[in-house]
Amino acid sequence: EAVAIALMNAYKNPVHEQILAKALKKAGFEFVSCSSILSQSIKILPRSQTAVINAYLSPIIHTYIQKIQSKLSDSASLSIMTSAGGLSNAKAFYPKDSLLSGPAGGIVGAATIAQNISVKKILTLDMGGTSTDTARWNGSFDLKAETQIAGLSLFNPGLAIETVAAGGGSICRFEDQQLKVGPESAGASPGPACYGAGGPLTITDVNLLLGKMVPENFSIPIHPKAAEEVLQKIQNKINNCSNIKYKKLELLKGFESIANEKMAEAIRSISISKGFNPKEYSLLVFGGAGGLHACQIASLLEMQQIILPY
């Protein structure tokens, strides 16, 4: 269904890739990705991986885009957000450019909000269900030419985004004699324990049991008792392995602190490690769970202002 072509010297002379692509399309392959079109880099490995990833995504993304376009009028045009935070015409769009388009769109939106309220420097905190994304904006965006995903390098110009596996669905557990949060996530199914589908203890459950969430405000049924029960199991496990008897509140605060430190460390990696002081920035918070952790993360980083878009 899809083929990736990557020849050693195609960065200099793409003719042979083009000949192969033409022959493959003639043979009935609809989706053909040439490395020389996607990148002009001399590096064969990341150029090849870029072509493979683009080929892998092509049937899914192009089918999705075609379905959208089929419902539009002839005069309408469709643009797609890219990992670099810009818009690309759907006809000139490469699927590999979609990989981090969601987080990139969030950062562009955050920068727009900052400009609207005359704030010149922001660090973003986008906390969702499975992970947290963070980035820096000070009138311009940090960009990077290569993206690392699951051990693969691809040439995919994008915004410099730091991601950590700490989200509302991150699983909280006791393992190897210590409390751990993530990187595993309960996902949407079974989801957090409080969803009532037999899920594990997650950061969402921790926030619920700490009183930071109101069950009546949810559009789905929330089961605090289910969260209590899985917390009790962890408490029993710890108490059986230790001479110290921990209270439930101590465990909840422990899990909360671990998640906050993970997210604060992600922000440090895009600020302090690059010579920027987070104290000089405002923390602009979004994502489904961002507001529940904003104050504590800002405190860890000694940041003085939090922006929480209505």
Side-chain angles (χ1 to χ4, degrees):
E1 188 181 17
V3 178
I5 307 172
L7 303 182
M8 182 75 76
N9 297 310
Y11 74 97
K12 191 73 174 175
N13 178 14
V15 171
H16 295 112
E17 282 197 355
Q18 292 167 3
I19 292 170
L20 279 170
K22 189 175 179 181
L24 286 163
K25 286 182 179 179
K26 190 175 179 181
F29 289 96
E30 185 179 355
F31 304 104
V32 180
S33 294
C34 290
S35 73
S36 56
I37 292 176
L38 299 170
S39 170
Q40 301 298 310
S41 172
I42 190 174
K43 296 180 182 178
I44 180 62
L45 183 58
R47 181 156 50 85
S48 301
Q49 291 175 340
T50 303
V52 169
I53 290 169
N54 193 73
Y56 177 81
L57 292 172
S58 287
I60 305 162
I61 299 293
H62 282 303
T63 300
Y64 178 71
I65 290 172
Q66 285 166 9
K67 285 181 179 178
I68 295 173
Q69 287 181 313
S70 69
K71 302 297 181 183
L72 299 176
S73 66
D74 293 337
S75 60
S77 63
L78 178 65
S79 296
I80 314 290
M81 175 70 72
T82 70
S83 301
L87 292 173
S88 173
N89 186 281
K91 293 178 182 177
F93 179 75
Y94 295 116
K96 59 125 181 144
D97 293 329
S98 69
L99 281 169
L100 295 173
S101 59
I107 295 161
V108 172
T112 301
I113 288 169
Q115 289 173 309
N116 288 344
I117 58 175
S118 301
V119 173
K120 296 180 179 178
K121 294 182 178 182
I122 59 168
L123 292 166
T124 64
L125 181 77
D126 176 6
M127 185 180 180
T130 57
S131 62
T132 295
D133 299 312
T134 182
R136 187 178 68 88
W137 179 83
N138 62 347
S140 61
F141 298 103
D142 285 344
L143 294 167
K144 57 183 179 180
E146 287 188 41
T147 300
Q148 302 285 331
I149 293 180
L152 299 176
S153 295
L154 69 152
F155 293 114
N156 180 36
L159 300 184
I161 301 167
E162 185 71 21
T163 301
V164 290
S170 293
I171 296 173
C172 303
R173 64 198 186 282
F174 178 70
E175 190 177 276
D176 301 327
Q177 300 299 308
Q178 56 186 317
L179 298 182
K180 292 186 178 181
V181 175
E184 298 84 0
S185 173
S189 179
C194 64
Y195 283 12
L201 187 78
T202 68
I203 288 298
T204 295
D205 298 299
V206 169
N207 284 326
L208 175 67
L209 296 176
L210 283 172
K212 296 200 290 182
M213 289 163 51
V214 182
E216 292 75 24
N217 286 350
F218 281 74
S219 59
I220 59 173
I222 296 296
H223 307 271
K225 189 175 179 182
E228 285 272 7
E229 288 172 357
V230 290
L231 177 64
Q232 183 67 60
K233 289 179 182 177
I234 294 174
Q235 184 182 23
N236 293 341
K237 183 178 179 181
I238 295 172
N239 290 344
N240 290 335
C241 298
S242 170
N243 293 326
I244 306 171
K245 304 302 178 188
Y246 291 95
K247 296 177 181 177
K248 286 182 181 179
L249 183 59
E250 291 176 309
L251 293 180
L252 292 170
K253 287 289 186 183
F255 286 128
E256 179 190 48
S257 295
I258 293 168
N260 288 337
E261 281 291 351
K262 278 189 172 187
M263 291 182 278
E265 190 55 38
I267 293 175
R268 291 186 189 104
S269 71
I270 59 159
S271 55
I272 295 172
S273 66
K274 294 186 177 180
F276 302 100
N277 190 343
K279 287 194 238 181
E280 299 173 3
Y281 288 73
S282 299
L283 186 66
L284 197 147
V285 185
F286 52 106
L292 297 169
H293 295 262
C295 293
Q296 291 159 312
I297 292 168
S299 180
L300 286 170
L301 298 166
E302 299 182 38
M303 299 176 74
Q304 301 300 308
Q305 185 179 53
I306 295 168
I307 300 167
L308 193 63
Y310 177 74

